[in-house]
């Protein structure tokens, strides 16, 4: 039994509505059901979504503040005023700044740009930057993707005689800055119909207003990058902008965009929103995280292909460096957390701080730890000289992290954010109290149910539904991103037909799944370690995305596995493995449930002398049990755990020495969902055979020949072993049977043959019955197939219970 990493949830869809949509729109039942699942049940609404036509674009002058901003900018152009574009260092801020550069170049404006340094200056408008602008002769500042909360800074700009036009999309505060114009669709009283524009989307609407709607097509590429990178909902007008931008990008005129696609190994002709999100955006963001965002702005605005190639290469190297920095900090953070854990229990909220934890990537680190532990996470960088801690928080749906921070605001110098993410700064002296206050707040909010991650799927389907035609039709719903995710499908009761690994270090998993008459290949990146748990014949449930694999002119459907589970108990065959202890720990990490749902334990069962012979650092966090001659099985001395009922993973590092021990084992661990066989295999000459009458007839004949008079038993055994293919163990146990039946006598190490014994049936001997049972058990444990052994053990379990 293999647990899924998350709980899967899919909406209930009315089949009648789906059929009506399929008929009205002439689409496949699968696409129709997807539209219905996403709330588009009316044919005209679904058709508008599929078409995403220009009729969905709104008049930019519906944005509150636009009517004041446009004349002021035109006045600045006429009077040749010097304009400052003030941006931000993330991908949306870079895109917004780049778009404004293209716009102001197009208009022939005199301008400068300013983007603050993330780690040196931090987010937002700064007075020292306004002082610099004044020295440059700036009389008009246009902010992009920032400024809506900059009350004191804009008041300072006003004192310096500069007008400020704010274009932003963040949540406005209760008190708004006294800017010349504020353009933000979220402003109170703003009639703009769509509130989900990115910062670059607002800048794009400003360009439309200034150019009477005649915006160059290629500018939509810049708008698309920022919209996707800032995780804005790909619905409504954003859908129009991104579709147009991706179409333009597939034949991009921008050297920077083409160079960035090339260095990201993305085909220009087939670039999509997923490529932008996972290939382009991280490289653009890397500039602001580890260096200065100006390098990314230069890339998106250069006309020189040589410079573009150089800048794209630099961003790619910065992104690789960023990845290494993140990996290092994650490793350090995980190590610190696990050292701190008491009894393996995670706190309700994880707060970790360290020196040298680059403040530009702590948000990414927090996201990675949240994904690993599914808890709210705060990661802070400690300045070694000042003791100032700057950090980022990421949260789960059950906890509003902004509310949690507000509950201990007095301990911080600054904080801000929203329910899912936030940033903060505080002094090291307050860190302990800060952590305690957050843990107390969290304990009163989060329940066990909140700590089970949920993945939203689009429905349950059979493999036969997931056809090449269906995969091709999914493009009707693109582009995919926030609020319009790539569809995820649940397929239950598929069977693994083939299993293999691929990629460097066998990191990735490839399966061939079968269900009825349908067979589909499935790929799971980064899950190569699961291959040994999914032998052919394993029944699985999968959560997957649908894609098309093109190779050598052939096109076939392929599933991209996002999660999977094995709903049935399993028996894993690792008999004879060299390092059983290390394999046991790997199995524990893979097979025990990782989330706040069912909490299982792992147990290892060994012979008594194993614990003395072995060091078990690899088996930490497990209970140890030993085979016992009298009780069958018992907890190891001085080791935790004396109740096997909560054990879900049972690892047999040694096989039982008797059927009584096996039955005791099965009684002790009634909830064991997975059993792993890790015992060594006896040499052929040491194994027992299931005894037959012919074996005893043969032995009786040999004994008559060599033991007519008393003979040393060891000598007799040696002579018998030369004649017989049976092991010494087998021969000794057969002599026990003969002694019990009075066929031989043993006295002082001597063995003698009884010439005229009374007739006795073999089955009347308890030794014969024990030998038969032990040989049968050994045969299953040594030679039986996993399915045969599992079935036999299940029959023993029923008897043992």
């Amino acid at each position: 039994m293999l647990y899924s990493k998350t709980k899967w949830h899919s909406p209930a869809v009315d089949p009648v509505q789906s059929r009506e949509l399929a008929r009205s729109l002439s689409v496949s039942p699968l696409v129709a059901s997807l539209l219905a699942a996403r709330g588009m049940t009316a044919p005209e609404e679904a058709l508008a979504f599929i078409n995403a036509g220009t009729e969905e674009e709104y008049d930019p002058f519906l944005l509150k503040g636009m009517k004041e901003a446009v004349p002021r900018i035109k006045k600045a152009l006429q009077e040749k005023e010097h304009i400052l574009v003030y941006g931000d260092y993330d991908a949306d801020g870079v895109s917004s700044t780049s778009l404004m550069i293209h716009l102001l170049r197009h208009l022939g404006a005199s301008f400068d740009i300013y983007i603050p340094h993330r780690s040196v200056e931090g987010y937002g408008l700064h007075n020292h930057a306004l002082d610099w602008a004044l020295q440059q002769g700036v009389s008009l500042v246009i902010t992009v993707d920032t400024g809506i909360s900059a009350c004191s800074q804009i008041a300072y700009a006003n004192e310096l005689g500069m007008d400020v036009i704010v274009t932003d999309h963040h949540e406005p505060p209760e008190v708004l800055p006294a800017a010349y114009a504020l353009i933000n669709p979220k402003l109170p009283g703003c009639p703009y119909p769509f509130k989900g524009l990115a910062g670059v989307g607002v800048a794009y609407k400003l360009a439309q207003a200034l150019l009477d709607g005649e915006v160059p097509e290629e500018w939509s590429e810049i708008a698309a990058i920022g919209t996707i990178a800032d995780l804005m909902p790909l619905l409504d007008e954003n859908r129009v902008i991104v579709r147009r931008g991706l179409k333009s990008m597939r034949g991009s005129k921008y050297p920077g965009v083409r160079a960035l696609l090339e260095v990201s190994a993305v085909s220009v002709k087939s670039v999509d929103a997923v490529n932008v999100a996972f290939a382009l955006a991280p490289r653009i963001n890397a500039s602001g995280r580890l260096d200065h965002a100006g390098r990314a702005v230069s890339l998106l605005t250069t006309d020189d292909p040589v410079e573009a190639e150089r800048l794209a290469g630099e961003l790619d190297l910065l992104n690789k460096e960023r990845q290494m920095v993140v990996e290092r900090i994650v490793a350090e953070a995980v190590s610190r957390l696990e050292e701190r854990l008491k009894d393996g229990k995670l706190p309700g909220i994880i707060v970790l701080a360290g020196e040298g934890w680059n403040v530009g990537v702590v948000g990414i680190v927090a996201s990675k730890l949240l994904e690993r532990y599914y808890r709210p996470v705060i990661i802070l960088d400690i300045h070694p000289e000042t003791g100032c801690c700057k950090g980022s928080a990421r949260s789960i749906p059950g906890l509003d992290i902004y509310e949690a921070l507000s509950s201990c605001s007095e301990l911080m110098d600054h904080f801000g954010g929203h329910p899912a993410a936030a940033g903060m700064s505080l002094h090291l002296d307050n860190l302990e109290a800060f952590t305690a206050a957050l843990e107390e707040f969290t304990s009163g909010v989060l329940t066990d149910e909140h700590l089970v991650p949920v993945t939203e799927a689009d429905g349950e389907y059979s493999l036969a539904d997931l056809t090449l035609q269906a995969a091709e039709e999914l493009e009707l719903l693109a582009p995919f991103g926030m609020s319009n995710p790539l569809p995820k499908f649940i397929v239950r009761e598929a069977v693994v037909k083939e299993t293999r690994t691929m990629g460097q270090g066998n990191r990735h998993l490839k399966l061939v799944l079968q269900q009825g008459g349908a067979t589909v290949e499935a790929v799971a990146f980064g899950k190569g370690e699961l291959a040994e748990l999914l032998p052919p014949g394993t029944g699985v449930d999968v959560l997957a995305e649908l894609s098309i694999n093109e190779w050598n002119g052939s096109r076939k459907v392929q599933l991209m596995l996002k999660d999977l589970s094995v709903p049935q108990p399993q028996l894993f065959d690792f008999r004879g493995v060299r390092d059983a202890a290390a394999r046991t720990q790997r199995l524990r990490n893979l097979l025990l449930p990782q989330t706040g749902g069912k909490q299982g334990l792992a147990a290892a069962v060994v012979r008594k002398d194993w614990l003395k012979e072995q060091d078990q650092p690899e088996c930490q966090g497990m209970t140890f049990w030993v085979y016992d001659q009298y009780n069958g099985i018992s907890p190891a001395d001085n080791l935790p755990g004396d109740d096997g009922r909560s054990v879900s993973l049972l690892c047999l590092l040694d096989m039982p020495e008797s059927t009584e021990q096996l039955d005791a084992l099965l009684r002790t661990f009634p909830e064991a969902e997975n059993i792993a066989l890790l015992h060594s295999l006896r040499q052929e000459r040491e194994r027992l055979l299931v005894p037959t009458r012919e074996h005893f007839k043969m032995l009786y004949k040999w004994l008559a020949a060599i033991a007519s008079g008393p003979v040393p038993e060891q000598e007799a055994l040696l002579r018998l072993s030369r004649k017989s293919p049976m092991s010494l163990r087998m021969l000794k146990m057969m002599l026990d049977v003969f002694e019990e039946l009075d066929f031989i006598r043993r006295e002082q190490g001597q063995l003698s043959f009884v010439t005229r014994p009374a007739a006795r049936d073999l089955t009347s001997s308890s030794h014969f019955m024990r030998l038969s049972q032990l040989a049968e058990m050994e045969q299953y444990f040594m030679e039986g197939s996993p399915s045969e052994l599992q079935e036999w053990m299940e029959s023993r379990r029923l008897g043992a219970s």
Side-chain angles (χ1 to χ4, degrees):
M1 183 172 282
L2 179 65
Y3 287 90
S4 59
K5 296 298 182 186
T6 68
K7 183 179 179 181
W8 307 339
H9 175 263
S10 58
V13 176
D14 185 343
V16 175
Q17 286 182 330
S18 294
R19 285 197 295 271
E20 177 59 24
L21 273 179
R23 186 192 64 79
S24 300
L25 304 177
S26 298
V27 296
S28 67
L30 183 139
V31 168
S33 68
L34 291 176
L35 288 164
R38 298 185 179 198
M40 288 167 281
T41 54
E44 56 276 11
E45 182 185 13
L47 186 62
F49 178 81
I50 288 172
N51 290 336
T54 55
E55 68 275 4
E56 291 188 43
E57 283 204 277
Y58 304 114
D59 182 352
F61 285 97
L62 290 175
L63 281 162
K64 188 177 181 181
M66 191 68 80
K67 290 177 182 176
E68 291 76 26
V70 169
R72 178 65 185 88
I73 295 171
K74 287 183 175 179
K75 175 178 177 291
L77 294 170
Q78 290 167 359
E79 298 182 5
K80 300 191 182 303
E81 294 181 55
H82 196 51
I83 300 170
L84 177 68
V85 177
Y86 194 102
D88 186 31
Y89 39 68
D90 68 2
D92 188 15
V94 165
S95 301
S96 304
T97 305
S98 300
L99 184 63
M100 289 303 296
I101 289 172
H102 285 293
L103 172 63
L104 293 177
R105 282 179 182 171
H106 184 82
L107 294 170
S110 169
F111 68 94
D112 266 316
I113 67 166
Y114 192 97
I115 297 178
H117 194 287
R118 182 192 289 262
S119 58
V120 176
E121 297 169 279
Y123 176 80
L125 195 58
H126 298 285
N127 285 353
H128 65 262
L130 295 171
D131 289 334
W132 172 84
L134 186 66
Q135 293 173 1
Q136 306 308 309
V138 169
S139 55
L140 174 63
V141 178
I142 303 175
T143 74
V144 287
D145 193 34
T146 189
I148 198 64
S149 300
C151 293
S152 63
Q153 293 87 351
I154 290 175
Y156 182 65
N158 292 338
E159 291 175 12
L160 297 178
M162 290 185 285
D163 291 336
V164 180
I165 295 173
V166 172
T167 72
D168 201 352
H169 72 126
H170 294 99
E171 293 292 338
E174 289 186 13
V175 178
L176 296 170
Y180 187 90
L182 296 174
I183 306 174
N184 184 332
K186 295 175 183 173
L187 282 172
C190 179
Y192 200 74
F194 181 54
K195 308 299 182 183
L197 291 171
V200 71
V202 179
Y204 188 73
K205 299 308 292 186
L206 176 60
Q208 285 184 335
L210 283 164
L211 299 177
D212 297 324
E214 299 297 322
V215 175
E217 189 77 13
E218 58 267 25
W219 292 5
S220 62
E221 297 177 38
I222 310 297
I225 290 172
T227 300
I228 295 167
D230 213 42
L231 304 180
M232 291 296 102
L234 297 192
L235 302 173
D236 207 288
E237 193 169 23
N238 282 346
R239 187 168 166 79
V240 180
I241 292 170
V242 171
R243 265 194 167 177
R244 184 180 299 142
L246 291 172
K247 182 180 178 182
S248 176
M249 205 178 293
R250 289 167 192 147
S252 182
K253 298 176 182 177
Y254 290 130
V257 170
R258 296 184 72 88
L260 196 55
L261 288 168
E262 184 175 350
V263 81
S264 305
V266 174
S267 169
V268 175
K269 294 182 180 179
S270 59
V271 60
D272 59 20
V274 175
N275 299 142
V276 173
F278 293 99
L280 273 63
R283 287 168 171 82
I284 294 171
N285 273 320
S287 179
R289 292 186 189 283
L290 299 186
D291 187 42
H292 191 278
R295 195 180 310 201
V297 171
S298 297
L299 175 66
L300 294 181
T301 55
T302 183
D303 294 323
D304 183 352
V306 175
E307 183 186 19
E309 187 176 344
R310 175 181 62 79
L311 290 168
E314 291 174 0
L315 292 190
D316 188 52
L317 288 174
L318 278 174
N319 189 53
K320 288 183 171 68
E321 182 183 346
R322 187 270 307 167
Q323 290 170 332
M324 290 189 291
V325 170
V326 168
E327 287 175 8
R328 174 183 63 81
I329 300 174
V330 167
E332 291 177 11
V334 168
S335 177
R336 292 190 188 188
L337 176 62
E338 295 189 349
E339 282 176 10
R340 188 190 302 174
L341 294 183
K342 297 176 182 178
D343 303 323
K345 187 175 180 182
L346 286 165
I349 183 169
I350 297 169
V351 181
L352 297 167
E355 291 185 10
W357 287 6
N358 188 307
V359 72
V361 301
V362 290
I364 300 175
V365 174
S367 295
K368 288 188 176 292
L369 264 67
L370 183 150
E371 183 180 349
R372 180 167 180 156
Y373 297 108
Y374 203 68
R375 296 288 194 282
V377 179
I378 296 177
I379 302 294
L380 299 132
D381 171 56
I382 305 171
H383 193 286
E385 296 175 3
T386 65
C388 178
C389 302
K390 289 185 179 180
S392 289
R394 298 292 184 270
S395 193
I396 60 177
L399 181 78
D400 183 331
I401 193 66
Y402 184 81
E403 183 183 359
L405 292 171
S406 299
S407 72
C408 56
S409 58
E410 71 282 357
L411 297 172
M412 292 174 286
D413 301 324
H414 170 78
F415 77 100
H418 52 80
M424 74 294 298
S425 62
L426 65 152
H427 196 273
L428 183 59
D429 293 343
N430 290 333
L431 182 58
E432 187 174 344
F434 175 71
T435 303
L438 286 174
E439 287 181 354
E440 182 179 358
F441 180 90
T442 302
S443 66
V445 175
L446 290 179
T447 65
D448 286 345
E449 191 172 336
H450 289 130
L451 301 178
V452 180
V454 176
T455 299
E456 295 295 332
D458 289 87
E460 296 193 13
Y461 297 84
S462 68
L463 287 182
D465 296 324
L466 306 180
T467 62
L468 181 61
Q469 180 186 351
E472 291 170 337
E473 276 197 4
L474 288 184
E475 192 59 29
L476 294 172
L477 309 184
F480 297 111
M482 290 299 293
S483 301
N484 184 41
L486 196 63
K488 292 182 175 64
F489 306 97
I490 298 171
V491 179
R492 300 195 186 276
E493 299 181 1
V495 176
V496 176
K497 188 177 178 183
E498 296 177 24
T499 303
R500 66 182 178 90
T501 56
M502 60 183 191
Q504 186 176 7
N506 297 319
R507 290 190 61 243
H508 311 305
L509 176 69
K510 188 168 187 178
L511 303 175
V512 176
L513 301 178
Q514 192 170 41
Q515 188 184 57
T519 301
V520 177
E521 288 186 353
V523 173
F525 290 112
K527 296 186 184 293
E529 60 189 359
L530 296 181
E532 62 187 4
L533 308 182
L534 299 168
T538 305
V540 294
D541 296 340
V542 300
L543 177 73
E545 294 170 353
L546 190 57
S547 67
I548 297 173
N549 183 20
E550 299 191 34
W551 180 255
N552 285 341
S554 171
R555 302 175 84 244
K556 59 182 179 181
V557 70
Q558 179 176 264
L559 297 183
M560 307 305 294
L561 297 185
K562 298 302 171 184
D563 202 357
L564 61 85
S565 69
V566 177
Q568 300 300 323
Q570 290 177 275
L571 185 139
F572 300 105
D573 184 7
F574 302 114
R575 290 173 285 190
V577 68
R578 287 187 178 181
D579 195 343
R583 183 65 63 95
T584 299
Q585 184 67 9
R586 279 177 56 191
L587 291 172
R588 173 180 172 270
N589 292 339
L590 291 171
L591 289 169
L592 289 189
Q594 301 293 312
T595 61
K598 183 174 180 180
Q599 296 298 316
L601 297 176
V605 187
V606 297
R607 64 181 189 275
K608 281 189 175 181
D609 56 355
W610 187 91
L611 291 172
K612 297 177 182 178
E613 296 174 4
Q614 303 279 340
D615 292 326
Q616 331 82 31
E618 297 291 336
C619 291
Q620 293 175 0
M622 301 187 68
T623 59
F624 282 85
W625 297 68
V626 294
Y627 294 114
D628 187 296
Q629 181 179 354
Y630 303 104
N631 300 316
I633 187 171
S634 58
D637 293 339
N638 302 320
L639 287 172
D642 57 2
D643 181 11
R645 294 196 170 271
S646 57
V647 168
S648 59
L649 170 61
L650 181 62
C651 298
L652 305 185
L653 277 69
D654 288 303
M655 64 173 283
E657 297 167 339
S658 68
T659 53
E660 291 82 7
Q661 289 180 353
L662 174 62
D663 293 340
L665 181 148
L666 295 173
R667 282 195 302 271
T668 303
F669 304 106
E671 303 298 324
E673 299 156 337
N674 293 310
I675 298 177
L677 306 176
L678 298 124
H679 57 273
S680 58
L681 295 172
R682 293 183 187 275
Q683 296 294 324
E684 192 74 32
R685 288 285 299 173
E686 297 176 357
R687 297 184 187 180
L688 299 178
L689 301 175
V690 176
T692 66
R693 293 182 184 278
E694 292 303 316
H695 290 138
F696 281 94
K697 283 182 181 179
M698 188 179 298
L699 180 61
Y700 188 86
K701 179 180 177 182
W702 290 335
L703 284 172
I706 67 173
S708 55
V711 62
E713 182 170 338
Q714 290 303 316
E715 180 185 332
L717 282 169
L718 288 173
R719 293 173 66 183
L720 288 170
S721 67
R722 294 190 193 105
K723 293 175 176 287
S724 169
M726 294 179 285
S727 67
L728 280 173
R729 287 177 63 233
M730 178 82 176
L731 292 169
K732 285 180 182 178
M733 296 182 77
M734 291 176 73
L735 291 180
D736 291 340
V737 175
F738 275 169
E739 181 183 26
E740 183 182 0
L741 297 176
D742 294 326
F743 290 175
I744 61 171
R745 291 191 181 90
R746 284 166 160 164
E747 293 178 351
Q748 297 180 345
Q750 299 287 310
L751 182 150
S752 57
F753 183 71
V754 177
T755 54
R756 293 182 179 275
R760 300 277 298 277
D761 193 271
L762 284 172
T763 56
S764 67
S765 164
S766 61
H767 283 91
F768 175 80
M769 300 306 293
R770 182 175 182 275
L771 172 59
S772 298
Q773 292 174 352
L774 191 59
E776 180 187 37
M777 181 184 76
E778 188 167 299
Q779 189 173 58
Y780 275 111
F781 271 88
M782 293 291 174
E783 301 172 13
S785 69
S787 59
E788 290 171 340
L789 179 55
Q790 188 170 20
E791 186 177 340
W792 181 75
M793 288 181 68
E794 185 59 28
S795 68
R796 298 288 308 190
R797 185 196 294 275
L798 293 174
S801 62

